[in-house]
Short mmCIF file of all heavy atoms in Angstrom, two decimals:
data_model
loop_
_atom_site.label_atom_id
_atom_site.label_comp_id
_atom_site.label_asym_id
_atom_site.label_seq_id
_atom_site.Cartn_x
_atom_site.Cartn_y
_atom_site.Cartn_z
N TRP A 143 -6.04 -25.75 -4.84
CA TRP A 143 -5.74 -25.88 -3.45
C TRP A 143 -6.28 -27.22 -2.92
O TRP A 143 -7.30 -27.69 -3.39
CB TRP A 143 -6.35 -24.77 -2.63
CG TRP A 143 -5.84 -23.40 -2.84
CD1 TRP A 143 -4.56 -23.09 -3.25
CD2 TRP A 143 -6.50 -22.18 -2.61
NE1 TRP A 143 -4.43 -21.70 -3.33
CE2 TRP A 143 -5.65 -21.13 -2.89
CE3 TRP A 143 -7.79 -21.86 -2.22
CZ2 TRP A 143 -6.00 -19.80 -2.82
CZ3 TRP A 143 -8.14 -20.54 -2.13
CH2 TRP A 143 -7.29 -19.55 -2.43
N ASP A 144 -5.69 -27.72 -1.88
CA ASP A 144 -6.31 -28.78 -1.14
C ASP A 144 -7.14 -28.09 0.00
O ASP A 144 -7.13 -26.83 0.13
CB ASP A 144 -5.27 -29.78 -0.58
CG ASP A 144 -4.31 -29.20 0.39
OD1 ASP A 144 -4.50 -28.11 0.96
OD2 ASP A 144 -3.28 -29.86 0.62
N THR A 145 -7.84 -28.85 0.79
CA THR A 145 -8.69 -28.32 1.84
C THR A 145 -7.88 -27.47 2.86
O THR A 145 -8.31 -26.45 3.33
CB THR A 145 -9.54 -29.35 2.48
OG1 THR A 145 -10.29 -30.04 1.46
CG2 THR A 145 -10.53 -28.78 3.49
N LYS A 146 -6.73 -27.91 3.22
CA LYS A 146 -5.93 -27.19 4.13
C LYS A 146 -5.54 -25.79 3.60
O LYS A 146 -5.58 -24.80 4.29
CB LYS A 146 -4.68 -27.94 4.58
CG LYS A 146 -3.85 -27.17 5.63
CD LYS A 146 -2.63 -27.84 6.11
CE LYS A 146 -1.84 -27.15 7.18
NZ LYS A 146 -1.80 -25.74 7.10
N ASP A 147 -5.13 -25.76 2.31
CA ASP A 147 -4.77 -24.51 1.64
C ASP A 147 -5.98 -23.59 1.67
O ASP A 147 -5.89 -22.37 1.91
CB ASP A 147 -4.36 -24.71 0.23
CG ASP A 147 -3.02 -25.44 0.07
OD1 ASP A 147 -2.17 -25.38 1.01
OD2 ASP A 147 -2.85 -26.11 -0.95
N PHE A 148 -7.17 -24.11 1.36
CA PHE A 148 -8.38 -23.38 1.36
C PHE A 148 -8.70 -22.76 2.74
O PHE A 148 -8.96 -21.62 2.89
CB PHE A 148 -9.55 -24.25 0.84
CG PHE A 148 -10.80 -23.57 0.57
CD1 PHE A 148 -10.90 -22.39 -0.13
CD2 PHE A 148 -12.03 -24.14 0.94
CE1 PHE A 148 -12.05 -21.75 -0.44
CE2 PHE A 148 -13.25 -23.45 0.65
CZ PHE A 148 -13.28 -22.32 -0.01
N LYS A 149 -8.56 -23.65 3.77
CA LYS A 149 -8.77 -23.19 5.12
C LYS A 149 -7.71 -22.05 5.51
O LYS A 149 -8.14 -21.03 6.04
CB LYS A 149 -8.56 -24.37 6.05
CG LYS A 149 -8.75 -23.97 7.51
CD LYS A 149 -8.34 -25.15 8.47
CE LYS A 149 -8.13 -24.81 9.85
NZ LYS A 149 -7.00 -23.85 10.12
N ASP A 150 -6.53 -22.23 5.16
CA ASP A 150 -5.46 -21.25 5.50
C ASP A 150 -5.75 -19.93 4.75
O ASP A 150 -5.63 -18.83 5.38
CB ASP A 150 -4.05 -21.73 5.08
CG ASP A 150 -3.56 -22.89 5.85
OD1 ASP A 150 -4.14 -23.15 6.95
OD2 ASP A 150 -2.57 -23.51 5.44
N TRP A 151 -6.28 -19.94 3.51
CA TRP A 151 -6.63 -18.74 2.79
C TRP A 151 -7.83 -18.04 3.51
O TRP A 151 -7.83 -16.84 3.69
CB TRP A 151 -7.01 -19.08 1.37
CG TRP A 151 -7.27 -17.89 0.54
CD1 TRP A 151 -6.38 -17.01 0.00
CD2 TRP A 151 -8.55 -17.33 0.27
NE1 TRP A 151 -6.98 -16.00 -0.64
CE2 TRP A 151 -8.33 -16.18 -0.51
CE3 TRP A 151 -9.83 -17.69 0.57
CZ2 TRP A 151 -9.38 -15.35 -0.97
CZ3 TRP A 151 -10.83 -16.87 0.12
CH2 TRP A 151 -10.66 -15.80 -0.69
N ILE A 152 -8.81 -18.80 3.95
CA ILE A 152 -9.97 -18.23 4.58
C ILE A 152 -9.51 -17.68 5.96
O ILE A 152 -9.89 -16.54 6.37
CB ILE A 152 -11.10 -19.34 4.82
CG1 ILE A 152 -11.73 -19.57 3.45
CG2 ILE A 152 -12.09 -18.84 5.87
CD1 ILE A 152 -12.75 -20.71 3.50
N ASP A 153 -8.61 -18.39 6.67
CA ASP A 153 -8.09 -17.81 7.96
C ASP A 153 -7.38 -16.44 7.67
O ASP A 153 -7.58 -15.54 8.53
CB ASP A 153 -7.07 -18.79 8.55
CG ASP A 153 -7.70 -20.02 9.15
OD1 ASP A 153 -8.93 -19.98 9.43
OD2 ASP A 153 -6.94 -21.01 9.35
N LYS A 154 -6.63 -16.35 6.59
CA LYS A 154 -5.93 -15.12 6.35
C LYS A 154 -7.01 -13.99 6.09
O LYS A 154 -6.79 -12.89 6.55
CB LYS A 154 -5.05 -15.34 5.05
CG LYS A 154 -4.25 -14.07 4.75
CD LYS A 154 -3.37 -14.38 3.54
CE LYS A 154 -2.69 -13.13 3.09
NZ LYS A 154 -1.92 -13.26 1.80
N GLN A 155 -8.04 -14.31 5.35
CA GLN A 155 -9.08 -13.24 5.10
C GLN A 155 -9.72 -12.83 6.41
O GLN A 155 -10.01 -11.65 6.61
CB GLN A 155 -10.15 -13.78 4.10
CG GLN A 155 -9.62 -14.24 2.77
CD GLN A 155 -8.64 -13.22 2.13
OE1 GLN A 155 -8.95 -12.07 1.94
NE2 GLN A 155 -7.46 -13.70 1.82
N GLU A 156 -9.98 -13.84 7.30
CA GLU A 156 -10.58 -13.49 8.60
C GLU A 156 -9.70 -12.62 9.43
O GLU A 156 -10.14 -11.68 10.07
CB GLU A 156 -10.94 -14.79 9.35
CG GLU A 156 -12.11 -15.54 8.74
CD GLU A 156 -12.47 -16.81 9.45
OE1 GLU A 156 -11.66 -17.31 10.23
OE2 GLU A 156 -13.60 -17.23 9.25
N MET A 157 -8.35 -12.94 9.36
CA MET A 157 -7.39 -12.13 10.20
C MET A 157 -7.37 -10.68 9.68
O MET A 157 -7.17 -9.71 10.42
CB MET A 157 -6.01 -12.69 10.14
CG MET A 157 -5.84 -13.91 11.00
SD MET A 157 -4.14 -14.52 11.12
CE MET A 157 -3.62 -14.80 9.46
N GLN A 158 -7.69 -10.48 8.37
CA GLN A 158 -7.79 -9.17 7.82
C GLN A 158 -9.18 -8.53 7.87
O GLN A 158 -9.43 -7.55 7.28
CB GLN A 158 -7.28 -9.22 6.35
CG GLN A 158 -5.80 -9.58 6.21
CD GLN A 158 -5.39 -9.78 4.79
OE1 GLN A 158 -6.14 -9.64 3.82
NE2 GLN A 158 -4.14 -10.14 4.55
N SER A 159 -10.04 -9.31 8.56
CA SER A 159 -11.47 -8.88 8.73
C SER A 159 -12.15 -8.59 7.38
O SER A 159 -12.83 -7.64 7.20
CB SER A 159 -11.55 -7.65 9.60
OG SER A 159 -11.08 -7.93 10.87
N ARG A 160 -11.84 -9.46 6.44
CA ARG A 160 -12.42 -9.32 5.13
C ARG A 160 -13.58 -10.31 4.86
O ARG A 160 -13.41 -11.49 5.20
CB ARG A 160 -11.40 -9.53 4.01
CG ARG A 160 -10.26 -8.51 4.09
CD ARG A 160 -9.35 -8.68 2.93
NE ARG A 160 -9.90 -8.11 1.73
CZ ARG A 160 -9.22 -7.87 0.67
NH1 ARG A 160 -8.02 -8.19 0.58
NH2 ARG A 160 -9.81 -7.31 -0.39
N SER A 161 -14.60 -9.74 4.29
CA SER A 161 -15.67 -10.68 3.75
C SER A 161 -15.13 -11.39 2.48
O SER A 161 -14.24 -10.84 1.85
CB SER A 161 -16.92 -9.87 3.44
OG SER A 161 -17.47 -9.24 4.59
N ILE A 162 -15.67 -12.50 2.15
CA ILE A 162 -15.28 -13.23 0.99
C ILE A 162 -16.56 -13.36 0.11
O ILE A 162 -17.59 -13.72 0.51
CB ILE A 162 -14.74 -14.57 1.27
CG1 ILE A 162 -13.57 -14.51 2.28
CG2 ILE A 162 -14.32 -15.33 -0.02
CD1 ILE A 162 -13.05 -15.77 2.84
N CYS A 163 -16.33 -13.11 -1.18
CA CYS A 163 -17.39 -13.33 -2.16
C CYS A 163 -16.93 -14.28 -3.31
O CYS A 163 -15.93 -13.98 -3.99
CB CYS A 163 -17.85 -11.95 -2.83
SG CYS A 163 -19.26 -12.15 -3.86
N PHE A 164 -17.44 -15.49 -3.35
CA PHE A 164 -17.11 -16.49 -4.36
C PHE A 164 -18.05 -16.26 -5.57
O PHE A 164 -19.20 -16.05 -5.38
CB PHE A 164 -17.39 -17.90 -3.78
CG PHE A 164 -16.58 -18.20 -2.57
CD1 PHE A 164 -17.06 -17.98 -1.34
CD2 PHE A 164 -15.24 -18.76 -2.70
CE1 PHE A 164 -16.31 -18.24 -0.21
CE2 PHE A 164 -14.49 -18.99 -1.61
CZ PHE A 164 -15.03 -18.77 -0.33
N VAL A 165 -17.46 -16.41 -6.75
CA VAL A 165 -18.22 -16.21 -7.98
C VAL A 165 -18.02 -17.43 -8.90
O VAL A 165 -16.91 -17.80 -9.20
CB VAL A 165 -17.86 -14.91 -8.72
CG1 VAL A 165 -18.72 -14.75 -10.00
CG2 VAL A 165 -17.98 -13.64 -7.80
N ILE A 166 -19.12 -18.07 -9.20
CA ILE A 166 -19.14 -19.15 -10.19
C ILE A 166 -19.89 -18.60 -11.44
O ILE A 166 -21.01 -18.29 -11.43
CB ILE A 166 -19.90 -20.34 -9.67
CG1 ILE A 166 -19.24 -20.91 -8.40
CG2 ILE A 166 -19.99 -21.47 -10.70
CD1 ILE A 166 -19.97 -22.04 -7.72
N GLY A 167 -19.05 -18.45 -12.55
CA GLY A 167 -19.60 -17.82 -13.74
C GLY A 167 -20.27 -18.82 -14.66
O GLY A 167 -20.63 -19.89 -14.27
N GLU A 168 -20.44 -18.37 -15.88
CA GLU A 168 -21.09 -19.22 -16.86
C GLU A 168 -20.21 -20.48 -17.29
O GLU A 168 -19.02 -20.50 -16.91
CB GLU A 168 -21.40 -18.44 -18.09
CG GLU A 168 -22.37 -17.30 -17.83
CD GLU A 168 -22.81 -16.56 -19.11
OE1 GLU A 168 -23.44 -17.15 -19.98
OE2 GLU A 168 -22.35 -15.38 -19.20
N SER A 169 -20.73 -21.34 -17.97
CA SER A 169 -20.10 -22.56 -18.25
C SER A 169 -18.81 -22.40 -19.12
O SER A 169 -17.96 -23.27 -19.16
CB SER A 169 -21.06 -23.59 -19.02
OG SER A 169 -21.49 -22.99 -20.24
N HIS A 170 -18.70 -21.30 -19.83
CA HIS A 170 -17.47 -21.09 -20.69
C HIS A 170 -16.40 -20.30 -19.88
O HIS A 170 -15.42 -19.87 -20.52
CB HIS A 170 -17.87 -20.39 -21.94
CG HIS A 170 -18.74 -21.23 -22.78
ND1 HIS A 170 -18.30 -22.41 -23.45
CD2 HIS A 170 -20.07 -21.18 -23.07
CE1 HIS A 170 -19.31 -22.95 -24.09
NE2 HIS A 170 -20.38 -22.26 -23.88
N GLY A 171 -16.63 -20.10 -18.63
CA GLY A 171 -15.58 -19.37 -17.81
C GLY A 171 -15.72 -17.90 -17.93
O GLY A 171 -16.74 -17.34 -18.37
N PHE A 172 -14.66 -17.25 -17.49
CA PHE A 172 -14.63 -15.79 -17.32
C PHE A 172 -13.81 -15.23 -18.46
O PHE A 172 -12.80 -15.77 -18.86
CB PHE A 172 -14.05 -15.37 -16.05
CG PHE A 172 -14.93 -15.80 -14.84
CD1 PHE A 172 -14.52 -16.84 -14.09
CD2 PHE A 172 -16.02 -15.14 -14.48
CE1 PHE A 172 -15.26 -17.28 -13.02
CE2 PHE A 172 -16.79 -15.49 -13.37
CZ PHE A 172 -16.39 -16.63 -12.65
#
């Protein structure tokens, strides 16, 4: 995403009253 896409996605989560949990895993991915 670009920053606008990221903002729009966060806006959508807020409209749905959802918390967001970001996960950064180990160096080899998930």
Side-chain angles (χ1 to χ4, degrees):
W143 292 332
D144 62 18
T145 302
K146 184 180 181 323
D147 294 332
F148 190 44
K149 177 189 166 297
D150 291 345
W151 184 83
I152 289 173
D153 287 343
K154 182 179 176 185
Q155 302 312 304
E156 288 179 341
M157 286 190 302
Q158 297 174 359
S159 299
R160 295 186 82 166
S161 297
I162 303 171
C163 186
F164 300 93
V165 181
I166 300 174
E168 295 184 69
S169 61
H170 296 289
F172 298 101

